[in-house]
Amino acid sequence: MRPVFLSFLLFFLCSYAFSQEFSIIDGRAIRFYKEGEELISQRKYPEAIEKFQDAINREGSFIEAYVKMSQLLITMGDLEEAERVAESGRSRLSGKNAKPKHSADIGWVFTNIYLKKGEFEKAYSEFEAVDPLLEDSFRTHMYYKEMKAQMDFIKSQLGNVMSIEIEILEDPLNNFQLQYFPVLTADGEQILFTKRDGTGNFDKEDIFTAFMTPEGGWTLPQSIAETINSQYNEGTCSVTADGNILIYTSCDAPDSEGSCDLYIAYKVNGRWQRPKNMGKKVNSRYWDSQPSLSADGRILFFSSNRKGGFGGNDIYYSVRMADGSWSDAKNLGDVVNTPKDEISPFMFFNNEILFFASNGHMGFGGMDIFLTRVLDGEFQEPENLGLPINDQLDQVALFITAQKDYAYYTELNSKEKEQDQSLLYRFKFPKEIYLGENLTVTGGKVFNSKTGEPIDATLSLISLTNDSTLYEFKADGKSGEFMMLYPEKSISGLYVEKKGFLPKIFNVERDKIQNVKDLEVQLTPVASGEEFVFENIFFDFDKYDLKPESKTSLKRLVKFLNENPNVNILVTGHTDNVGASTYNQTLSLQRATSVQKYLIENGMLPGRVLVEGKGDTVPMVPNTTPANQALNRRITIKVL
């Protein structure tokens, strides 16, 4: 939550010192004090400071003047001077006119000073000391309740401070005056960020990118593409894990729906295509910005201040439909969004944890970074990332690598008489914050088995347990290259598909493809006589009933037949060599028939699906080991 000291109303309208009964009787000093209060109402803060100082100079034991002056200095951001004045006021508490309420006022001021300075142990100790002195009437006030809740939170956090080591990203990065909102591809080989040369009206934003060198450094940052950067502002961006889909913010462009809109661009055959406004289903007449794509680009999260939300800025999401369009943006709901501000969403690569910045959930000050975990499709209560990731300042955004090793962020460096600089930093992400099971990032190529030409196939990683799509990527049409993420403990199948070709199906765990760095996938054009192994079809031992885990592959086969209406197939069952040959032949035919039955029940004409059982007569590999025997227990599909 935003600390109470950030609003001058707290200090001047909701201070513990409600009464106008003063600790002194000097009329002239009191007049100076009241003149200072009047100047505050006119927002003439320096002049008000002078009046409070006049009151103190007139009467050195005027405790209320010390309190009011230090409160105003906090509001103006001069914490050192505020603390000095408050110390002077505290030294007067031993006077004969000092009362418990004066100690409470001074203690309340120190609590806020220490909060603002990020000295949380001191803030909590000060609050513990002042709390018993506060009157019951003040305890009913919302500002006291907010402070009490924040102090309870801080107490719970003081014993859980993590250790992090911050490092600045080295040359040739950080050579612009302003660079911010860094994002990386899943393999960590490419970084993108927003670059701006200054804060003037003509200092526009552009998206720049750099690549990892073999030595572990970075190449010289360059404009991402002429097709994307324009004479307008191209700001905060997000890319898919493979770096082939980009969504970014642009403000006041001619085709804008509002002040700032989201635009999308696709990389096709290694080149960025011209971006398009994401349209009215995603954008509004208001501020729409700070996008975050899920790893495979199927879900977009962003922040917007459009009407109908819970607060100033809320987090919204949109889903990419089967035809490539995007659904109507929806508010993420009141578990995440609050009456205050939620910005800078970042969906981690496992699609299970959303990070965001907020001043509406309990925190240390200003904007803190939170995470919310997805459980059974629902976002759970947000968790503050704790100290020292969060502190008394604004933490705006965080990007964590797929390997969970580093967190990247931006920090604004302000120095007197120098221009502000926004620089890129990183730190090793604390292991105390659980980010789910490990992900393996690998890649490969898809090509035509007949010609060797690259194919822009779709690769889908499917959970065989519940037939849910974990990731979906597309191979590059120019090179055939693709990237894939593999969750460590998932039971999954990889489906490589392209219309006009036979699908290639892997069982990820059995085939151990998550450990293959350069997986070569050959797709065969659809033609009579061509055959493929129909992986991920499961039967219990000595049974022919299809197990539920077979659903994914069966649905994909239906899709293949619908896309190729002139294709008829032969479904062949195979077994290992355990048992009698005649029994194995019968069992293999029964299993092939189970597949045929499913296809007919899902719309295929019986004449399109023939079956046969080969038993153990056509092994793929010698039946010499249990692993080989498992390979020989299979279903094959042949084009007739």
Side-chain angles (χ1 to χ4, degrees), residues 611-625:
V611 296
E612 67 175 356
K614 289 288 188 179
D616 57 14
T617 60
V618 189
M620 285 180 63
V621 291
N623 284 293
T624 52
T625 65

Side-chain angles (χ1 to χ4, degrees), residues 446 457-464 467-469 471-473 484 486 492-498 503-508 513 521 523 532-538 549-557 559:
V446 183
T458 299
L459 299 99
S460 305
L461 188 71
I462 311 294
S463 169
L464 300 179
D467 188 40
S468 62
T469 301
Y471 299 103
E472 184 177 285
F473 293 101
M484 182 55 67
Y486 297 102
S492 54
L494 179 65
Y495 294 80
V496 187
E497 299 162 300
K498 172 70 175 178
K504 181 69 175 179
I505 306 173
F506 297 91
N507 184 287
V508 173
I513 61 173
V521 182
L523 293 188
F532 66 94
V533 177
F534 193 36
E535 289 278 16
N536 301 328
I537 297 297
F538 303 101
E549 294 86 348
S550 307
K551 183 178 180 180
T552 296
S553 286
L554 291 166
K555 287 172 62 178
R556 297 280 165 162
L557 185 55
K559 175 174 174 281

